[in-house]
Amino acid sequence: HYIIVVTIKKQKSYLSMSKVNALKIIQRLLIGLQSVMMFYVNWLLKSYIHFMLLQPNTTFDNHYTLIRQLGRGGFSEVWLAHDSYMNIDVAIKIYAPGQGMDSNSINEFRREITGVFQLNHPNLLCPKHLGIWENMPYLIMAYCPAGSCLKFVGNISESEIWHLIHDVAAGLAYLHEKDIVHQDIKPDNILIDTEGNYLITDFGISTRARSTLRKSVMSTTYSAG
């Protein structure tokens, strides 16, 4: 009889432990499900904000009318816009579009990017203004209607190749003199101005600034708030 009673008590103990473990598993599943739901709700909210703010014919920061998107990267978008103050078309590069950045990340990004405004070379497309709108940093640059040299891939004359090499080499040499290493040289990042000169763009974002952008975008994407 004693053995039977002990066995029954042990079975009851195992059953109670199994119930506790099951409740813990269910609790963890519910917490995980809540996190997933909040992620998608936040993602939908950010997507909606992006859809509402960054669309053709919408006003960006009071006096820029977005016309069309020129390009898009991992953490930024470039738009053709009309500046109603100056009555000219400009290119706007918007960082962390839709998601925005927190104040600490914005301040760090501002510190990293200010050095670009000290640069001056005929083969660099230097920004003219840094702004913050709806927690999205943006740069104003000259619009190059001729586009990038991507259109020349597989279809460029020998003389034009030498012109391209000369301009890009001159711009890179200047950047290296300033201890700046361009981390993404490609046809998309070499634009053509109205006089046919080649201009290097997207050169002022350091590794630290890119890391700031990446962390900020990921944190705002995965944040429940």
Side-chain angles (χ1 to χ4, degrees):
H1 292 291
Y2 175 77
I3 296 174
I4 294 173
V5 171
V6 170
T7 303
I8 291 173
K9 286 183 177 180
K10 285 185 177 181
Q11 287 178 346
K12 287 182 177 179
S13 176
Y14 290 150
L15 285 173
S16 62
M17 288 180 65
S18 297
K19 288 180 180 179
V20 171
N21 290 335
L23 288 173
K24 287 183 179 179
I25 292 172
I26 292 173
Q27 186 179 22
R28 290 173 182 173
L29 287 174
L30 288 174
I31 292 173
L33 181 61
Q34 183 183 23
S35 299
V36 171
M37 289 178 64
M38 291 305 298
F39 165 76
Y40 280 108
V41 168
N42 195 49
W43 179 78
L44 288 171
L45 179 61
K46 299 295 185 182
S47 298
Y48 176 75
I49 293 173
H50 176 268
F51 178 78
M52 294 300 293
L53 294 180
L54 304 180
Q55 290 295 310
N57 300 319
T58 57
T59 301
F60 185 89
D61 201 6
N62 299 320
H63 63 100
Y64 299 107
T65 301
L66 300 181
I67 299 174
R68 62 184 173 89
Q69 190 180 106
L70 299 174
R72 184 174 185 176
F75 308 107
S76 64
E77 293 182 4
V78 180
W79 283 78
L80 168 63
H82 184 74
D83 183 350
S84 60
Y85 284 177
M86 302 297 293
N87 195 28
I88 58 172
D89 288 343
V90 297
I92 302 181
K93 185 160 190 176
I94 305 167
Y95 294 94
Q99 294 97 337
M101 302 170 66
D102 59 54
S103 57
N104 290 333
S105 296
I106 288 175
N107 290 334
E108 186 173 348
F109 180 82
R110 185 188 286 114
R111 287 193 296 269
E112 287 292 313
I113 205 71
T114 49
V116 176
F117 290 86
Q118 307 299 321
L119 303 177
N120 183 25
H121 191 275
N123 296 116
L124 298 182
L125 182 62
C126 297
K128 301 179 181 297
H129 172 72
L130 168 65
I132 310 290
W133 187 67
E134 297 292 340
N135 295 322
M136 295 181 288
Y138 67 89
L139 294 174
I140 301 298
M141 298 172 289
Y143 170 54
C144 297
S148 73
C149 69
L150 181 63
K151 61 186 178 183
F152 290 148
V153 174
N155 184 30
I156 186 172
S157 66
E158 183 176 347
S159 60
E160 197 61 33
I161 288 177
W162 285 112
H163 183 192
L164 170 63
I165 292 173
H166 171 272
D167 287 1
V168 173
L172 289 176
Y174 176 81
L175 288 176
H176 292 173
E177 288 176 1
K178 302 298 182 180
D179 293 325
I180 296 174
V181 177
H182 197 301
Q183 302 179 65
D184 195 21
I185 280 289
K186 58 185 180 182
D188 274 340
N189 287 335
I190 303 171
L191 303 181
I192 308 165
D193 67 11
T194 54
E195 298 179 359
N197 298 311
Y198 294 96
L199 311 179
I200 299 172
T201 187
D202 199 25
F203 51 82
I205 305 300
S206 65
T207 301
R208 185 175 178 180
R210 291 179 192 274
S211 178
T212 299
L213 276 170
R214 186 178 299 107
K215 290 178 182 177
S216 180
V217 170
M218 293 299 291
S219 65
T220 54
T221 299
Y222 284 97
S223 170

